[in-house]
Amino acid sequence: MLLTVAVVAIVAGVAGVWLLPGTGDRAGTTTGDPAIAASIAGLPQRSVGVPPTMRLAEGQVPPTNRWFSGLVFPDEPQPVFPLPLSVAVRTDGLSLGLPEVRADDATIFGSHTPALDVPLGTSDLRVVAYDDLTVTVAMLAAGGAETGRLVITRGSPFVHYTATTAQDLTVGPQPLDADGTVVIRDGRYGVVTDGELTGSALSLPAGGSATFYAVPPDGDPAVFADAARVAVTGGSVTEDVAGDTVRSTLTYRTEGGDTIAGPMPGADAGCDPVGRFATVYGPMPVCHTSALTVGDPVLAPSGALDLSGVDDAGRAELATLVERDVAELTLDAADTYFGGKQLVRAATLMRLASDLGLEPTAQRVRDQLVPLLERWADPAGCAGRSTHCFVYDPVVRGMVGLESSFGSEEFNDHQFHYGYFLYAAALLGRDDPALVERIGPVVDLLAADVGSPVRTPEFPEYRAFDAFAGHSWASGFSPFGDGNNQESSSESVSAYNGLALWSELRGDTVQQDRAVAMLSREAASAMRHWVEPDLAAFPEFAHGVVGINWGGKRDHATWFSAEPSAILAIQLIPMSPVAEYLRGDPERIRENVAAATPTGYDVPYADSILMYLALADPDAAATAARALPDERIDDGNSRSYLTAWILAQR
């Protein structure tokens, strides 16, 4: 459903934004690129949606599309899911717990389950720092003075609190045992401190600290208590693309010594676990260490199908289809999602025509596409019209296209939308350096919006991508009790493919290297958590595919349709050439297709499903595709490209 919003002017001093000093960290704001700043200066600047109230410190770039966005933007702070814990930071304190994981036929549940409760006597909170692995939250008294800071860490069973002022707290809701632990709902929790802990009474001097923690069922409480005394102060993730592997190293910065942490379930860090926690993503082993390294296969960016194996009859069939599709080409969508999909549909037709030697046909498409892309990339476009243009939002700090759709004015789905623009621009600019220069200033801003390799005053570092999880989040402000979520893993993969191709054209090797790492990790996560997930821990879940992954649950569903075909297809579209990462277990592919098409292929998104089937059975896919009604071909696809994809798999 398209969302209609009012355009509002930005005025100085957005209501509700409290300014506190931030703290420095590896991912802190850096000096911006002068070229990016100049391009932004050439755009209209305003918010398309109503600017949100932000619980955010001065100097921090608004963290949209993050696992902890729910702490910053909603009217009330929402629970977050750093894994293995769930944590609710309230204005008056916090509660942490181990989610009680269970499943039914369509959902795996792991919502926040309050266990250890720590009232702090505060009345508000602000996020004062964040990096790849941690978020730091200042707790505020009624007058706005800071009373203490929380550090919540990804992959950690610990939440660390440092008192700014002396305070006496009561940890509950049940009395602690003599060793500082307590069993709540079959889970063991504990407190260690450099202050005084007497029963459940915790006294902290100014500068004193306490760590609240959970112990897994197979863990030694003494080992976890010792590690909890080592405070985590920040963290970083570095990615090294070497050979056929992306190695991601998660480094936890501590005050000295090792902590306990684990990688995302399903990722092997090669360390000896000291315990395993249950999560909605499966068992999560944790290790006594301060660094974890995981590996994923490198996925090379691609903008063209390999048609070298297509025989003369197949090429003749494709030529006929291309001529027909080009003759019927329509470019009338005005919003950034469907408009972007139409750009890619046309650009793939252009590339396909060129690869088949149909240069006059390719030129006809180019003659329509270039003016349209230049219209979108006109820096002053939104000064004079209400569609086919972009503005820069100086409050939330990012690009918003007009007209917006699916909540893009609230920074939802930016990688989905702008990935199409980046991919189309890369295909069009491949042999046209002059066009690249003309559209570059605006397209570079779209690239920075979704994939800036560093945090600058204008953009966050890789807006949607979660370096711990290895995949992206889609909901900008994340106003949900189950954390952030992502539905279309495939459109995130496609986005980073487009980003890598565009960065290569621009000669931006730093952004290109980061894009290849994000592309590779997103694709591996898509297979691991959406398309071919290991669901052995959830026998009640009756499906082989997950439609939406959240911080605190997983659904066999979509935001837009209950059709089984839609639930699979949203993990497939747009089936760009890079989508061969979906080539997993052939039998699993057949099972997924059969579950999505129980009554046959006359269903929504059947074109993408048949392209996916071609990775296991190209002959069956080709036969079914030739019989597919035209109305079953998605508006971002064409019969030409559908057929070419399938023939390329033979």
Side-chain angles (χ1 to χ4, degrees):
M1 181 177 68
L2 301 183
L3 304 179
T4 304
V5 297
V7 177
V8 296
I10 291 299
V11 295
V14 177
V17 179
W18 284 55
L19 301 181
L20 293 173
T23 57
D25 52 56
R26 186 201 68 82
T29 303
T30 64
T31 302
D33 182 338
I36 291 290
S39 295
I40 288 174
L43 287 176
Q45 298 193 21
R46 64 178 185 265
S47 287
V48 179
V50 177
T53 296
M54 289 187 272
R55 303 177 196 86
L56 192 66
E58 181 180 10
Q60 294 297 318
V61 178
T64 65
N65 305 78
R66 301 279 172 161
W67 64 273
F68 63 89
S69 295
L71 293 177
V72 176
F73 299 104
D75 291 340
E76 296 293 332
Q78 297 297 311
V80 295
F81 298 83
L83 295 185
L85 295 175
S86 65
V87 181
V89 185
R90 309 182 306 270
T91 56
D92 65 344
L94 81 151
S95 63
L96 60 90
L98 294 172
E100 296 178 354
V101 179
R102 61 184 179 84
D104 64 18
D105 65 330
T107 301
I108 301 168
F109 300 92
S111 297
H112 175 59
T113 305
L116 200 65
D117 189 68
V118 189
L120 295 173
T122 51
S123 62
D124 211 343
L125 62 93
R126 294 290 177 269
V127 168
V128 297
Y130 61 90
D131 57 31
D132 292 337
L133 296 174
T134 69
V135 59
T136 302
V137 182
M139 305 304 296
L140 309 179
E146 180 180 314
T147 62
R149 291 192 174 192
L150 293 164
V151 177
I152 305 170
T153 303
R154 293 288 261 152
S156 170
F158 306 141
V159 175
H160 187 70
Y161 178 69
T162 301
T164 307
T165 60
Q167 51 204 261
D168 294 321
L169 308 173
T170 300
V171 181
Q174 297 171 209
L176 303 182
D177 296 337
D179 64 353
T181 69
V182 60
V183 174
I184 304 173
R185 296 193 182 93
D186 298 324
R188 182 169 292 278
Y189 300 88
V191 183
V192 298
T193 181
D194 57 10
E196 293 185 8
L197 181 65
T198 305
S200 295
L202 173 62
S203 294
L204 295 174
S209 64
T211 297
F212 312 105
Y213 64 96
V215 181
D218 59 344
D220 182 343
V223 170
F224 280 75
D226 285 345
R229 292 185 173 90
V230 178
V232 175
T233 59
S236 62
V237 178
T238 57
E239 289 148 335
D240 177 40
V241 179
D244 60 358
T245 302
V246 177
R247 299 203 178 279
S248 305
T249 300
L250 290 65
T251 302
Y252 293 86
R253 189 167 64 250
T254 73
E255 292 181 344
D258 285 338
T259 185
I260 288 177
M264 191 72 178
D268 182 8
C271 55
D272 294 327
V274 293
R276 291 171 176 80
F277 290 94
T279 79
V280 294
Y281 292 93
M284 180 178 181
V286 293
C287 303
H288 192 201
T289 183
S290 290
L292 301 162
T293 299
V294 297
D296 291 304
V298 170
L299 181 60
S302 178
L305 296 172
D306 180 3
L307 301 178
S308 60
V310 179
D311 60 21
D312 289 345
R315 296 178 76 87
E317 179 184 13
L318 289 176
T320 299
L321 293 175
V322 167
E323 295 289 0
R324 192 196 78 169
D325 283 336
V326 170
E328 298 174 355
L329 186 61
T330 300
L331 295 167
D332 58 358
D335 70 283
T336 52
Y337 183 69
F338 292 107
K341 289 179 72 174
Q342 283 191 348
L343 286 172
V344 166
R345 180 181 187 274
T348 55
L349 279 172
M350 180 197 72
R351 181 65 189 264
L352 188 54
S354 181
D355 289 347
L356 291 168
L358 306 173
E359 292 300 338
T361 303
Q363 188 61 46
R364 288 203 305 275
V365 180
R366 175 177 288 275
D367 289 344
Q368 296 179 68
L369 265 181
V370 168
L372 179 59
L373 187 56
E374 289 179 326
R375 181 176 173 83
W376 276 107
D378 175 9
C382 283
R385 60 179 182 269
S386 59
T387 66
H388 298 85
C389 59
F390 290 92
V391 301
Y392 177 78
D393 184 331
V395 175
V396 188
R397 306 211 203 157
M399 299 289 286
V400 178
L402 301 182
E403 60 186 51
S404 56
S405 57
F406 300 109
S408 59
E409 76 286 352
E410 295 181 355
F411 285 71
N412 293 349
D413 301 354
H414 274 205
Q415 74 272 28
F416 302 165
H417 294 221
Y418 301 164
Y420 287 110
F421 285 84
L422 293 166
Y423 186 67
L427 293 191
L428 278 167
R430 182 176 62 110
D431 300 315
D432 193 345
L435 174 65
V436 171
E437 291 303 313
R438 293 197 302 275
I439 65 176
V442 171
V443 178
D444 284 346
L445 294 179
L446 299 183
D449 185 274
V450 300
S452 176
V454 295
R455 191 190 310 177
T456 70
E458 299 86 10
F459 295 105
E461 184 180 12
Y462 42 80
R463 182 180 302 282
F465 186 76
D466 184 332
F468 169 82
H471 65 75
S472 299
W473 299 109
S475 176
F477 297 162
S478 189
F480 305 110
D482 287 309
N484 214 319
N485 70 87
Q486 178 165 264
E487 179 183 55
S488 183
S489 61
S490 54
E491 286 179 298
S492 278
V493 173
S494 180
Y496 301 132
N497 183 49
L499 177 64
L501 295 172
W502 174 255
S503 301
E504 181 180 16
L505 285 186
R506 296 297 273 166
D508 189 339
T509 56
V510 173
Q511 190 173 63
Q512 182 184 0
D513 289 347
R514 175 55 62 83
V516 171
M518 291 193 294
L519 166 65
S520 303
R521 297 191 67 200
E522 189 86 42
S525 291
M527 293 297 286
R528 187 179 296 135
H529 300 303
W530 278 266
V531 182
E532 292 188 5
D534 180 356
L535 300 168
F538 315 106
E540 303 88 351
F541 191 74
H543 305 279
V545 170
V546 174
I548 307 174
N549 277 310
W550 300 72
K553 69 174 179 177
R554 306 171 75 186
D555 286 325
H556 185 72
T558 76
W559 285 103
F560 60 93
S561 173
E563 291 281 352
S565 58
I567 296 169
L568 174 60
I570 201 61
Q571 311 310 328
L572 309 177
I573 63 172
M575 293 300 291
S576 63
V578 82
E580 290 204 23
Y581 73 89
L582 294 163
R583 191 189 300 277
D585 175 12
E587 186 56 35
R588 188 74 175 266
I589 292 173
R590 293 186 181 93
E591 290 173 359
N592 287 346
V593 169
T597 58
T599 61
Y601 296 116
D602 189 10
V603 293
Y605 308 101
D607 55 336
S608 294
I609 292 171
L610 290 173
M611 295 160 83
Y612 173 57
L613 176 62
L615 296 171
D617 193 341
D619 290 337
T623 298
R626 290 188 177 103
L628 195 67
D630 286 346
E631 59 268 23
R632 292 309 189 189
I633 297 177
D634 185 61
D635 53 2
N637 199 1
S638 65
R639 189 172 291 278
S640 301
Y641 185 71
L642 163 65
T643 305
W645 167 276
I646 293 172
L647 293 179
Q649 309 311 315
R650 286 178 160 174

